[in-house]
Amino acid sequence: MVGAGYVGLTTASCLAQLGHTVVGIDVDPIKVHRLNNGEIPIVEEGLEAITQQMLEAKRLVFQHGYSDSIKVAEFIFLCVPTPQDEDGSADLTYIREAATSLLPYLASESIIVNKSTVPVGSTLVVEEIVRRDDIFVVSNPEFLREGSAVHDFLNPDRIVVGSSNKRAAQRVADLYQSINAQVIICDPASAETIKYAANAFLATKLSFANAIAALCEHVGANIDDVMDGIGQDKRIGNQFLKPGPGWGGSCFPKDTRALVKIAESAGYDFELLRGVIDFNEIQFDRIVDKVRKAVGGTLTGKNIAVLGLTFKAHTNDLRDSPALRIVEQLKLQGATINAYDPTVANPLPQTNFCETAKDACASADAILIATEWPEFALLNPKEIGNVVRSKHMIDARNILEADLWRAAGFTYQGVGR
Ligand code: UDX
Ligand code: UDX
């Protein structure tokens, strides 16, 4: 397993739990040292326990850099970053570097498995670097959600394996045989496209939900009932229909932009997806507008309590977080930010970081719920009402009981509520 981040670490520990013997490789020696001590640098339910068990069972070990231990490997998974380039396309530098670094160690008949999210055609890029008929390259995209990565790995909706060599594809599929899931074996380009299309579709579904929420605010409908009403339709499904401050994280923003670029370089203008991305930017602004309107139309000199900074609950990941995009705008428009998040320790520039949600609400002119941490739904409106300067609640995650807060004298705005 090359790369022991969110995807690499989860994949390594779970494959070991399935009975395989795994060596995790990472360029970060401190991370490697901590991992071998069973310390997990990310918030992921169940991952620490599995990793420690597999370390004790000697089915998992981590090492810094490449070495002869790779020579016995039948499968080499690539889980290195594919960050965005200036123009939004995916940068394959780490993929190329990893493939090149592996060359001296590849055993005959071994398989390089691309698990990183890579543009269509990347399997060919790795094959070009390896240039050996006895080494196969297979695409095996992951669909893990942060916060539930272990569950998603062990209970996938499907397993996708893309290869021009059927036997190699079947060998990779067999690694998961103790998992009960449909296996889709296809060509590499289709497998690579499935990954991007899946994320792009989910982002589109969310932007649609946020657009309907905006419509509800204009026509006086209730988003909860509307989403329930459409979600019961099996063709739509009620998952990923929660309106909010816009979508973020290490995948959706990066992958949607990369897919627009992939299409463009192939001569197709993915206008629909460009609209989805643009609308998500507008959604951030809509939340900022709600806060500004709540405090009288200007943010200058206003104290705003921001509850939640991570891109969603149950993770400590701030990458492309909607909360941070909104905080940035609020600060630019003159607000003072008092923030709280249960998992984030390092303060942000020009942002007061508080120990508790209640502390963050002290002297607030308005409160913004930006991440759906369960503890925020338990806040007592009366108690909070006693510490704020003005009673204005903007619940950008629709997790509060609006009537309770209104009864306590707060103005309440949700998303589509
Ligand atoms: C990464 C990619 O960002 C994503 O596109 C892909 O789908 C899956 O893998 P993630 O696991 O979230 O996602 O990345 P990150 O948590 O940043 O972990 C990457 C790890 O690779 C880090 O531990 C980093 O130290 C390591 N790495 C990076 C290497 O071992 N070698 C490198 O050359 C570069
Ligand atoms: C996503 C995909 O779900 C996963 O399959 C893929 O492998 C990686 O990218 P993740 O980035 O962990 O996973 O986040 P996800 O749970 O999908 O949420 C993405 C964004 O959408 C977050 O900002 C989240 O808050 C938002 N979201 C999600 C909503 O606003 N409403 C919803 O109903 C669901």
Side-chain angles (χ1 to χ4, degrees), residues 25 90 98 103 202 318 321 328-329 340 349 358-359 395 413 415:
I25 293 175
L103 290 177
L202 291 170
L318 292 167
S321 168
E328 206 180 291
Q329 276 306 313
Y340 166 73
K358 189 176 173 190
D359 291 350
D395 176 10
Q413 294 180 73
V415 181

Side-chain angles (χ1 to χ4, degrees), residues 55-81:
L55 287 167
E56 272 150 37
K58 304 253 175 289
R59 285 219 295 272
L60 177 63
V61 67
F62 297 92
Q63 70 177 49
H64 173 234
Y66 302 86
S67 74
D68 285 354
S69 65
I70 300 168
K71 288 186 174 166
V72 296
E74 290 170 67
F75 303 90
I76 302 104
F77 281 74
L78 301 184
C79 300
V80 292

Side-chain angles (χ1 to χ4, degrees), residues 37-111:
N37 287 338
E39 292 167 42
I40 308 294
I42 55 177
V43 173
E44 261 315 323
E45 197 174 326
L47 186 57
E48 186 165 66
I50 290 182
T51 305
Q52 289 170 351
Q53 283 160 16
M54 291 304 114
L55 287 167
E56 272 150 37
K58 304 253 175 289
R59 285 219 295 272
L60 177 63
V61 67
F62 297 92
Q63 70 177 49
H64 173 234
Y66 302 86
S67 74
D68 285 354
S69 65
I70 300 168
K71 288 186 174 166
V72 296
E74 290 170 67
F75 303 90
I76 302 104
F77 281 74
L78 301 184
C79 300
V80 292
T82 49
Q84 275 182 69
D85 248 340
E86 303 280 298
D87 65 357
S89 57
D91 173 358
L92 290 182
T93 305
Y94 296 124
I95 292 282
R96 289 198 173 87
E97 279 174 7
T100 309
S101 308
L102 285 168
L103 290 177
Y105 306 102
L106 295 171
S108 184
E109 299 295 315
S110 63
I111 300 178

Side-chain angles (χ1 to χ4, degrees), residues 142-147 195 199 202 206 210 239-252 255 311-312 322 372 397:
E142 48 80 20
F143 303 96
L144 311 178
R145 289 166 298 164
E146 289 183 29
K195 172 60 189 180
N199 276 357
L202 291 170
L206 287 176
N210 286 332
Q239 291 203 32
F240 265 69
L241 279 181
K242 290 199 191 70
W247 40 262
S250 64
C251 294
F252 281 8
D255 296 346
F311 81 96
K312 64 175 185 177
E372 71 283 16
R397 292 288 184 169

Side-chain angles (χ1 to χ4, degrees), residues 246-296:
W247 40 262
S250 64
C251 294
F252 281 8
K254 168 171 78 74
D255 296 346
T256 49
R257 289 195 186 94
L259 186 54
V260 167
K261 279 290 160 191
I262 292 165
E264 194 183 289
S265 3
Y268 170 63
D269 176 9
F270 206 150
E271 203 173 348
L272 173 69
L273 189 54
R274 283 194 288 108
V276 165
I277 296 167
D278 295 346
F279 181 82
N280 199 49
E281 297 291 318
I282 293 167
Q283 189 65 7
F284 303 146
D285 298 340
R286 286 179 56 78
I287 304 300
V288 172
D289 294 348
K290 285 176 187 284
V291 177
R292 193 180 52 252
K293 287 197 187 106
V295 296

